[in-house]
Amino acid sequence: MAPEPGGSFGSPADIAAAKAIGEISREDSRSVEAELAQAGIVDSGGNISSQWVLAAWISAFAPVKVTTVAQTEALSSHCELALAAGRGVGASYRRTLSRTAGSVEVAEVPNVVEVSFFKEEHAWAAVARSLPALSELQASASEASGFDARRTTVAPGGGTSSSESAGRGGVPAALANARCTVRMEVTASAAEAEPSRYSADVWALAGQLYSLRTAADPATLLAVEVPPGDICREFAWRILGVRGFLASASAQAA
């Protein structure tokens, strides 16, 4: 990591982070040390455990990152995953929201972050755990199989149509009072200065679960009715896609 402007690694006192740590009272320091020890992050000698060193490395340098934000009327749930070498590290937290006159503000951020360690094959479980307890959002991909042929699209007036058409300049009427929205971003970076891959998906849960998309005309919003389990299925496809991208990039580099 590069030093702070005007500082150097040879002079820790010049680094902003070092100054901040130096201003922590001894009482607060002991409290932090006790919490780290209780969580198993450091041992009795204050040394960070090898597991947490690995977790920090994966979080910082993993080639695959996933960010999921689910927002209901009063709460937003955040989950950040980092995947590398068949392993994953997840961090999830929540924020309390306040809605007034059409605006949304963060009212409170609980002082709790959940960190999870898992094999990559269980990455969806880490995401689902952070989502609101709604069956349409947490369903497995198997529940979405065989639904493609019956997909319909919300029309401007709130009805449905077999053709992909939807409202312009705003969300379709049927989604105006969605109970929950979910945004998922997946990024993959082969190496520094190498090409990267990015995707973003958005869902809204109203009477049904909808996948929100843009058409060839970016001003046109498509709200496609999808089955419970669609989020899990798309997550699996996105991870498969970035893995293929990374394998191709590695082959080209060789």
Side-chain angles (χ1 to χ4, degrees), residues 164 213-220 222:
E164 291 195 339
R213 309 169 187 176
T214 54
D217 176 3
T220 301
L222 308 178

Side-chain angles (χ1 to χ4, degrees), residues 140-161:
S140 65
S142 62
E143 298 184 45
S145 60
F147 190 88
D148 289 341
R150 297 188 291 111
R151 289 192 177 192
T152 55
T153 303
V154 174
T160 58
S161 171

Side-chain angles (χ1 to χ4, degrees), residues 57-70:
W57 185 92
I58 292 176
S59 296
F61 303 111
V64 178
K65 302 286 184 67
V66 182
T67 300
T68 306
V69 179

Side-chain angles (χ1 to χ4, degrees), residues 2 26 35 55 57 68 73 116 136 141 148 150 167 176 179 192 206 236:
R26 185 54 187 164
E35 183 176 353
W57 185 92
T68 306
E73 179 69 21
S116 57
E136 295 91 341
D148 289 341
R150 297 188 291 111
R179 289 188 288 159
E192 187 176 352

Side-chain angles (χ1 to χ4, degrees), residues 61-97:
F61 303 111
V64 178
K65 302 286 184 67
V66 182
T67 300
T68 306
V69 179
Q71 189 174 107
T72 61
E73 179 69 21
L75 193 71
S76 66
S77 303
H78 304 251
C79 180
E80 299 175 0
L81 304 186
L83 307 175
R87 301 184 182 185
V89 176
S92 58
Y93 56 94
R94 295 184 176 183
R95 294 175 174 174
T96 302
L97 304 178

